[in-house]
Amino acid sequence: MADAFDLEHHGDLEVGDGLVDLAVNVRAGTPPAWLVEEIAGSLTDLAAYPRPEAATAAVARRHGVAADRLLLTAGAAEAFVLIARAFRPRHPVVVHPQFTEPEAALRSAGHLVDRVILRPEDGFVLDPRAVPTDADLVVIGNPTNPTSVLHPADDLRELARPDRILVVDEAFMDAVPGEPESLAAASIPGLVVIRSLTKTWGLAGLRIGYVLAAPALIEQMAAVQPHWPVSTPALVAAIACSNERAVAESAQAALDIERQRVHLLDRLGTVSGLSTYGVPRAPFVLVHVPNGAVLRESLRGQGFAVRRGDTFPGLGPDWLRIAVRPEDVTDGFVKVLSDLLR
């Protein structure tokens, strides 16, 4: 069946030379110098095959779980492919609007995917009762890309069933101060939590993420994973980003992002004709604006790249996603945005 949404489109395709990047949700000013130094120090070990044990143990300690509950992956994207290959659901459901890679991976593996579409008039808030009871694999983001909505952990727990795989994509959870709704350390039958180190630490080019789940589920995913999927530099980065210093720096970054998001929302509130829905909690904001596709091209002409919304099921061309950036960048962007909308 042909689909109207380009599930393979990602924000990195929006950026270009000379454009201020408000399209990709990687934290500005990253990776930090100390992390670059750690990664560079690993380059003398490239002749040896990667050994993931130390990194697995370090990330597991960071979440307070046993090492057999964790699987390192080449970014969160690989985790979605492993899920699609390891499990044979009869009725997989993806809750949209959300990151399209999970559905793309399921489709590529031959699964017929059903969608639950959350509505802007409901603030893109999940009602667990909207998910079909016979769904045996459910995917939802928390906080969700691109809506920026943070779903209560209790609502996600309601989705758990003894015969269901519940996949919660927490790629942006470390950008939420205190991670209050995280299920990373939860012991829920069938729960699979996906995390990423690429957003907060600026490692999109290195590809490092991980899966948290019961040991039996981890074994099933590991069985379909290629040998040596995570490079030695990525393993070193995983260790470096999991120590106490890094966790503290990440926590401070989350507070900075929260302050910058409040500033972005305040400034957007002065722009006529532009609407937001729900309560944004992630390092990006979704906005609705008439003639959004035309506006996006006009913004490019003025030096700013924002993420188009029409590739996300449940959205259309009048939706744009804007990354949270430092206040001075936001001020410059909103001035241009206001002038264009006048």
Side-chain angles (χ1 to χ4, degrees), residues 11-178:
D12 61 300
L13 298 177
E14 310 276 354
V15 298
D17 290 342
L19 295 178
V20 177
D21 178 11
L22 303 179
V24 177
N25 298 318
V26 173
R27 182 164 63 102
T30 55
W34 61 264
L35 181 53
V36 172
E37 189 175 328
E38 290 275 358
I39 294 168
S42 74
L43 300 182
T44 56
D45 298 326
L46 295 185
Y49 284 92
R51 297 292 299 269
E53 292 82 5
T56 299
V59 180
R61 279 196 302 273
R62 178 253 189 271
H63 289 287
V65 302
D68 63 357
R69 292 180 54 86
L70 189 135
L71 181 68
L72 296 169
T73 61
E78 191 205 10
F80 297 122
V81 173
L82 298 182
I83 288 166
R85 292 177 178 173
F87 306 122
R88 310 308 316 173
R90 297 177 307 279
H91 186 190
V93 170
V94 179
V95 179
H96 285 290
Q98 81 147 9
F99 185 47
T100 53
E101 196 66 31
E103 180 171 329
L106 287 165
R107 287 189 180 202
S108 181
H111 302 289
L112 296 175
V113 181
D114 200 1
R115 293 172 178 167
V116 170
I117 306 290
L118 305 184
R119 306 187 309 163
E121 51 265 41
D122 299 326
F124 295 112
V125 171
L126 170 73
D127 180 349
R129 295 170 297 181
V131 176
T133 56
D134 67 339
D136 53 353
L137 188 148
V138 176
V139 184
I140 185 169
N142 202 36
T144 299
N145 171 18
T147 65
S148 198
V149 169
L150 182 67
H151 304 287
D154 286 345
D155 287 351
L156 301 187
R157 290 175 190 273
E158 281 191 45
L159 294 177
R161 302 279 188 280
D163 55 351
R164 173 185 287 174
I165 303 293
L166 173 59
V167 180
V168 181
D169 174 11
E170 293 191 358
F172 294 100
M173 187 62 81
D174 60 354
V176 180

